[in-house]
Amino acid sequence: MHVKTILLGTALGLGLASGVAAAAERHGWYFGLEAGWVNVQDSELQTWGYSDIEFDNRWGGMGTVGFAFDNKLRLELEAGYRNNDIDRIDTVAITDGELNEWSGMFNLAYDQPIGSRWAITFGAGVGADSVRFDDALSEDTDTVFAAQGILGLVYQVGPHWDIMLNYRYLWANDPEFTSVFADTDNMEIAKHTVTLGFRYGFDAVAAPPPPPPAPPPAPEPTKPKQFIIFFGFDRCDITTEADRVLAEATETAKSSGSAAVRIVGHTDTSGSPAYNQRLSECRSGAAKSNMVGKGIPEGAISTSGKGEGDLMVQTGDGIKEPQNRRATIDLE
C-alpha cells in the first residue's frame, strides 16, 4: 500500500508539472550531497512485547550521482544514511537504543523550471534498505526492499552549481528482527526526511555568442557622370590630357550603361560671338569624334555649342580665360 501511494503521488506530480512553462534546466552528469532532519513514524514489535515504539528526530545524509537528460528527467543512484534514537517504548523512556539505516536507491526525478533559476523536483526511487534496530538489550539487522517519493525545490546558483531543499518519504518493506529471547517480528518503517544540499553539474559551458556580423562593405564611390576637357586658345583639337579624360568618360559610359552622351562646347570672350559659336561647336564635334573612335555609338551622342554664352569664369569681353575654353561631357 505504501509503495502504491508513493508512485501514485509522484505520477500525479509529474503530470501537473508538464503543463508549466520551461526555464532553467541542468544537463549531463552531476553529483550531489545533502543532509538534514529525519523523523520516524511510531512502530511496534508485538512479539517482543513492544506495542508502541517512539523515536527521536535525528539526522541523515545522502549522496547522489546521476545524469540529467534534455527532457528535464534525471536518473540517479543515491546512497543514504539515517539515524534515530529510540525515545520511548510503551511509555518507558529509553536512554540507550537506536534505529540506523543505510539505503541504496535508484531515483527517477523530473525538474520542472518555475523561473529563470528555480525549479521544482518530483521524483520516486526504489532500492534496498539495511535496517539495524538496537534497544540496548537486543540488536538485529535486516536488509529489505525500499521505495521513496521525492519533492524538492532547486535554485541554480550558476552554470554548474545548484542548491536544493528536498523532502523524502521513505518506506522500508517491514524488516524482520529477532530478539535475544528468539522472538521474531516485522517492524513497519516509514521515514520523513528534509535535507538541504548542493549539486554540481558537469554541464558544458555555453559557447559564447557569435560575433556580430561584419558591417556591409562601403558602397563603391559613384563614378562621375560629367567630364570636362579643355582646349588651347582658338583651337578645337583634342590634347593628350583631353584624350585621357575622354577615354575615362567612354569607359564610364560603357560600364554604367549610359543610354546617351551629351557634349556641349564653350569658348572664352576673345573674338566675336559668331566666331565663338562656331568654335564651340567645333570643340563638341571633336570630342564626339574621339568618343566614337573609342566605341561609343555615334547615334548615342548629341552635340551643341554655347559659344561664350555660359562662362565657367566670369570675365569681361575680349578676355582669354583658359577655364572657359572647354567642353562638358554628360552621361545620361
Side-chain angles (χ1 to χ4, degrees):
M1 181 63 183
H2 294 280
V3 177
K4 292 181 180 178
T5 302
I6 294 170
L7 298 181
L8 179 61
T10 302
L12 177 60
L14 293 176
L16 291 173
S18 62
V20 182
E25 299 176 36
R26 185 153 304 289
H27 307 274
W29 291 100
Y30 64 88
F31 72 86
L33 293 173
E34 52 193 296
W37 171 87
V38 180
N39 168 266
V40 184
Q41 295 181 189
D42 292 0
S43 191
E44 61 183 19
L45 288 171
Q46 291 289 349
T47 62
W48 287 33
Y50 299 164
S51 59
D52 183 28
I53 306 173
E54 300 177 29
F55 299 91
D56 286 332
N57 297 328
R58 290 295 303 279
W59 65 277
M62 291 88 189
T64 54
V65 175
F67 187 87
F69 299 94
D70 291 340
N71 58 0
K72 306 185 189 72
L73 287 173
R74 291 185 289 108
L75 186 63
E76 67 183 16
L77 176 63
E78 172 192 303
Y81 173 78
R82 295 169 175 85
N83 173 269
N84 293 87
D85 289 341
I86 301 174
D87 181 34
R88 295 176 180 275
I89 297 179
D90 296 335
T91 71
V92 177
I94 303 298
T95 58
D96 187 11
E98 61 182 1
L99 182 72
N100 288 324
E101 291 181 76
W102 288 95
S103 59
M105 310 292 289
F106 286 99
N107 298 327
L108 179 64
Y110 180 91
D111 293 321
Q112 175 57 58
I114 56 173
S116 61
R117 291 179 178 269
W118 294 91
I120 296 177
T121 297
F122 303 91
V126 294
D129 193 14
S130 178
V131 187
R132 181 174 67 87
F133 179 76
D134 178 9
D135 67 352
L137 183 62
S138 302
E139 178 183 337
D140 198 9
T141 301
D142 192 15
T143 301
V144 295
F145 172 81
Q148 66 178 356
I150 304 170
L151 180 64
L153 182 64
V154 180
Y155 177 75
Q156 191 175 71
V157 179
H160 298 287
W161 292 97
D162 295 338
I163 295 175
M164 51 194 176
L165 177 67
N166 286 324
Y167 165 77
R168 290 174 173 82
Y169 176 82
L170 176 71
W171 168 81
N173 189 24
D174 298 348
E176 183 179 85
F177 300 122
T178 302
S179 72
V180 70
F181 303 109
D183 297 317
T184 298
D185 201 352
N186 296 92
M187 176 184 286
E188 293 184 2
I189 291 183
K191 290 195 173 188
H192 306 274
T193 307
V194 178
T195 58
L196 182 66
F198 70 88
R199 182 163 57 217
Y200 180 87
F202 296 91
D203 302 52
V205 177
E220 294 184 5
T222 303
K223 294 184 178 180
K225 293 293 186 178
Q226 186 182 77
F227 299 83
I228 301 176
I229 60 175
F230 296 94
F231 295 87
F233 175 70
D234 197 27
R235 300 183 67 87
C236 63
D237 55 321
I238 302 299
T239 65
T240 302
E241 177 61 23
D243 182 70
R244 185 191 66 76
V245 174
L246 289 170
E248 183 181 353
T250 300
E251 182 60 32
T252 301
K254 291 178 180 178
S255 62
S256 64
S258 297
V261 179
R262 183 166 57 89
I263 304 176
V264 180
H266 302 268
T267 69
D268 57 24
T269 60
S270 177
S272 69
Y275 180 82
N276 285 338
Q277 178 63 35
R278 291 192 299 272
L279 182 59
S280 67
E281 292 173 357
C282 179
R283 286 172 175 171
S284 63
K288 175 179 178 178
S289 297
N290 184 281
M291 293 186 74
V292 170
K294 289 179 167 56
I296 300 297
E298 184 175 357
I301 304 175
S302 64
T303 63
S304 64
K306 290 192 175 184
E308 59 185 72
D310 186 10
L311 301 176
M312 178 182 290
V313 179
Q314 298 299 316
T315 68
D317 190 35
I319 302 300
K320 300 176 181 179
E321 171 53 54
Q323 296 293 315
N324 290 332
R325 301 192 293 264
R326 71 195 192 281
T328 58
I329 301 94
D330 290 287
L331 308 181
E332 300 175 348

